[in-house]
Amino acid sequence: MKLRYLLIAVAALVLQAPASEGKRWWSHIEFLADDALEGRNVGSAAFEKAATYVEGQFKDIGLRPGGVSGYRQPVKFESRVLVPEQSKLALLRSGVEEPLTLREDALLSARGELDGSVEAPMVFVGYGLSIPEAKWDELAGLDLHGKIAVYVNTTAPVEVSDNVKSHVTSAGERWAVLKKAGAIGVATFPNPRPPAGTTPDAASAGAASGRGGAQSPQPTVVLADRELQEQSGQTVSITATRRGAEKLLAGSGHTIDELEQLIVDRKPLPRFPLVGTLRVQEAVKRETVNSENVIGIYEGSDQQLKNEYVVMSAHLDHVGIGRAVNGDSIYNGAMDDASGVASAIEIARLLKESGAKPKRSILFMAQTAEEKGLLGSRYFTSRPTVPFDKLVADINLDMFLPLYPLKVIEVQGLTESSLGESVRAAAKELGVDVQTDREPEQNRFIRSDQYSFIRRGIPSLAFKFGYEFGSPEEKTRRDWVRDVYHKPNDDLKQPVDIEAAAKFNRVILGLLQRVANDTARPRWNDTSFFKRFAKPDLH
Ligand SMILES: [Zn+2]
């Protein structure tokens, strides 16, 4: 009996996170989300402080530098700000110029490459989607060469999985399809039925409206490397208001009321040319911005497998200083995503302290510019600091929300790859359940840095604290998304369950070790939509 108790006690010691782990985890957030760090905007001196902090931690722990220069992988960006006084939009019809008012009729995004002027015809292309698996192609038979494609910024009424919908409606994929059809730019009409509880999308909403909901435009930030620019070839990028849409539709035989009704009724939309041409004049102020991903490696022990890498990633940037809410203008980003970076640091430390010898290496990365559209991770997966075909998985932590005790982990990507079984087993060891995404319509699997890995064929997972429908936990999480997400009060004053976070870290530690020790590298499930991105020779 005694021996049994002793064994149980030892097992509990190994598996359970002592209170000190939670405190240590929180201490990193206290540094990274302090007002002094000014919301860690890309390119700011405060971001550099954050990078130096993480670098110091990685060094302390004894991780091997995994960057290009020590722990750092420099990433160059171009920041673009529209000069409104020198920018204008007008419709040209039968030789008559009809000016459109910026803001009231349309927003002009510096995401477009134009610096000067252009005049182009416009074609309304409905939802603007081509989804082969649904035999849905709104671009079939249309000539978009030299034209601006006008579409409603929402998903089409087709029966496909949420993953397919998420993928095809992402800004990058949408543009890839339109560009192939010859388009030189895009103009969007507003979605008359935004899904309830929608939160802004890093890639699209930020570009149009600026962070914090204010109209004062935040710069558009793109990777300086043209080869890696998703929107390359997109001369103009316009977001029409409802009033602007009415003006663009005038004379076409169609009205915004008609289109909105079709969308609400989930019907296909007509496709037709708009009358006249659009004249766009755009002046943009460009600047180079330097930032970096911070990378440390925990070396594997197996002669062969140590050359393969399991990536543990979390984004270091947040949105900086913005519009004041209740007198506070610092968007601290404590949960988004100082919490994930803190976990990555702590998990690396636990690994080291335990003396674990995983077979594969584990690459810890605190990446930049997630908030600008997953750019730091895009850069890393395109210009990796280790051989690309040796990246076996990405375990990404972004705002996992430890707001209540941990009973169940929501896993984004649970049913997509063999990583699902690995996380299930790791969670079970600590008495934690797993569940699939509670809100698949939010497209979370493709809305953080893991998507950069997924698009390049690498199996990935992301997480949130889970809940049962109708539970108090569901309310806590929904309230947080509504009241705290991307607001100045995502700061150090909010209630966080530090012990639950430490337990979560232990689960992720177990997951990393499983993936690092498994003889087979992770594979996409045959049923997964994302399997198509994997290179066949690797899997
Ligand atoms: Zn985030």
Side-chain angles (χ1 to χ4, degrees):
M1 280 301 262
K2 262 189 181 164
L3 180 66
R4 206 176 127 213
Y5 282 130
L6 184 70
L7 284 177
I8 290 170
V10 168
L13 242 165
V14 171
L15 293 174
Q16 293 302 320
S20 62
E21 280 177 32
K23 286 189 187 136
R24 223 162 50 176
W25 170 80
W26 182 250
S27 72
H28 304 307
I29 301 174
E30 282 180 319
F31 182 89
L32 295 169
D34 191 278
D35 278 356
L37 272 278
E38 297 175 352
R40 308 182 303 282
N41 200 8
V42 176
S44 68
F47 180 91
E48 289 309 303
K49 275 191 209 165
T52 303
Y53 179 81
V54 174
E55 192 176 44
Q57 293 292 327
F58 283 180
K59 202 171 178 180
D60 249 27
I61 293 164
L63 298 184
R64 173 163 67 78
V68 169
S69 136
Y71 293 92
R72 294 175 180 231
Q73 177 184 40
V75 189
K76 236 188 223 341
F77 297 95
E78 182 180 283
S79 131
R80 302 176 183 163
V81 186
L82 193 76
V83 185
E85 313 78 64
Q86 293 166 39
S87 302
K88 56 184 183 187
L89 279 174
L91 278 165
L92 235 83
R93 286 171 174 164
S94 319
V96 182
E97 184 173 300
E98 183 192 328
L100 296 172
T101 313
L102 288 182
R103 291 189 191 181
E104 277 78 15
D105 291 325
L107 295 164
L108 191 52
S109 166
R111 195 164 288 275
E113 293 173 335
L114 182 67
D115 201 354
S117 64
V118 72
E119 194 184 318
M122 296 167 287
V123 182
F124 183 75
V125 295
Y127 301 94
L129 293 173
S130 167
I131 315 171
E133 36 276 281
K135 302 201 168 29
W136 177 277
D137 189 1
E138 293 175 280
L139 307 181
L142 284 182
D143 177 16
L144 293 179
H145 282 93
K147 296 176 185 169
I148 295 169
V150 182
Y151 62 88
V152 181
N153 199 6
T154 184
T155 186
V158 284
E159 291 298 319
V160 286
S161 74
D162 289 308
N163 284 330
V164 175
K165 265 186 198 170
S166 306
H167 179 71
V168 297
T169 56
S170 68
E173 280 309 309
R174 271 190 190 271
W175 175 240
V177 170
L178 293 168
K179 182 180 175 181
K180 215 170 136 200
I184 59 150
V186 295
T188 61
F189 286 176
N191 175 11
R193 47 170 185 89
T198 305
T199 47
D201 174 285
S204 59
S209 61
R211 286 298 179 182
Q215 268 294 298
S216 64
Q218 283 226 6
T220 293
V221 175
V222 300
L223 285 162
D225 189 334
R226 266 190 69 84
E227 262 181 59
L228 303 185
Q229 289 172 6
E230 271 204 307
Q231 315 299 119
S232 76
Q234 191 172 107
T235 308
V236 293
S237 170
I238 293 159
T239 309
T241 62
R242 196 174 188 282
R243 192 180 97 165
E246 268 171 2
K247 292 185 181 177
L248 292 176
L249 287 167
S252 68
H254 296 274
T255 65
I256 191 71
D257 288 333
E258 170 206 348
L259 299 178
E260 284 183 350
Q261 194 56 54
L262 290 168
I263 294 161
V264 170
D265 294 343
R266 300 185 177 274
K267 296 247 175 69
L269 292 171
R271 297 165 302 147
F272 50 89
L274 297 176
V275 180
T277 54
L278 190 67
R279 184 176 280 173
V280 186
Q281 187 182 317
E282 193 170 329
V284 176
K285 213 175 100 213
R286 291 158 199 267
E287 269 170 34
T288 299
V289 172
N290 291 301
S291 191
E292 61 274 307
N293 296 325
V294 184
I295 303 165
I297 292 170
Y298 189 88
E299 191 120 347
S301 59
D302 182 273
Q303 243 357 52
Q304 289 301 316
L305 292 179
K306 72 175 187 186
N307 298 317
E308 295 187 350
Y309 300 85
V310 182
V311 178
M312 154 109 287
S313 57
H315 73 89
L316 187 56
D317 68 307
H318 193 57
V319 298
I321 295 172
R323 187 172 60 105
V325 180
N326 297 327
D328 185 1
S329 60
I330 300 174
Y331 289 65
N332 305 77
M335 291 300 102
D336 187 9
D337 184 31
S339 67
V341 174
S343 288
I345 293 170
E346 272 318 292
I347 290 165
R349 195 187 302 274
L350 290 171
L351 252 182
K352 189 72 178 186
E353 285 175 356
S354 72
K357 293 194 171 13
K359 290 179 180 154
R360 290 188 179 81
S361 296
I362 301 175
L363 186 148
F364 291 88
M365 173 162 73
Q367 64 273 16
T368 186
E370 188 273 348
E371 302 286 2
K372 310 297 182 198
L374 321 182
L375 300 183
S377 56
R378 182 174 173 79
Y379 188 81
F380 177 80
T381 52
S382 306
R383 308 269 186 265
T385 56
V386 297
F388 174 77
D389 60 0
K390 301 295 182 198
L391 297 171
V392 307
D394 176 45
I395 307 300
N396 188 48
L397 301 178
D398 187 1
M399 216 175 82
F400 58 89
L401 299 181
L403 306 174
Y404 39 78
L406 181 63
K407 287 181 237 159
V408 52
I409 299 178
E410 175 187 306
V411 182
Q412 284 130 32
L414 184 65
T415 59
E416 304 295 338
S417 73
S418 61
L419 293 173
E421 282 316 304
S422 305
V423 68
R424 202 180 283 282
K428 199 174 168 201
E429 248 174 49
L430 286 160
V432 176
D433 281 332
V434 293
Q435 62 186 196
T436 52
D437 199 330
R438 297 283 90 178
E439 301 159 45
E441 72 285 357
Q442 288 278 331
N443 306 334
R444 291 202 172 94
F445 194 43
I446 69 157
R447 279 182 49 197
S448 184
D449 288 310
Q450 69 276 1
Y451 191 45
S452 295
F453 290 83
I454 294 166
R455 289 176 81 186
R456 303 227 50 209
I458 300 164
S460 306
L461 294 178
F463 316 87
K464 293 267 182 280
F465 269 42
Y467 59 77
E468 298 308 325
F469 290 117
S471 66
E473 286 87 353
E474 175 176 17
K475 183 176 180 334
T476 302
R477 198 173 111 180
R478 286 186 184 275
D479 287 354
W480 190 94
V481 170
R482 188 191 60 215
D483 301 335
V484 187
Y485 173 73
H486 275 224
K487 295 198 171 72
N489 55 332
D490 177 11
D491 62 12
L492 298 172
K493 293 194 285 277
Q494 63 192 309
V496 172
D497 190 330
I498 288 175
E499 281 179 31
K503 188 171 177 182
F504 174 84
N505 290 344
R506 285 272 170 173
V507 174
I508 302 301
L509 171 67
L511 165 64
L512 285 175
Q513 287 181 285
R514 274 172 188 278
V515 180
N517 284 323
D518 204 336
T519 39
R521 65 188 275 170
R523 281 181 302 103
W524 291 103
N525 293 337
D526 284 335
T527 50
S528 175
F529 165 77
F530 300 103
K531 188 177 187 228
R532 70 193 60 199
F533 303 118
K535 280 203 245 159
D537 53 319
L538 292 181
H539 300 275

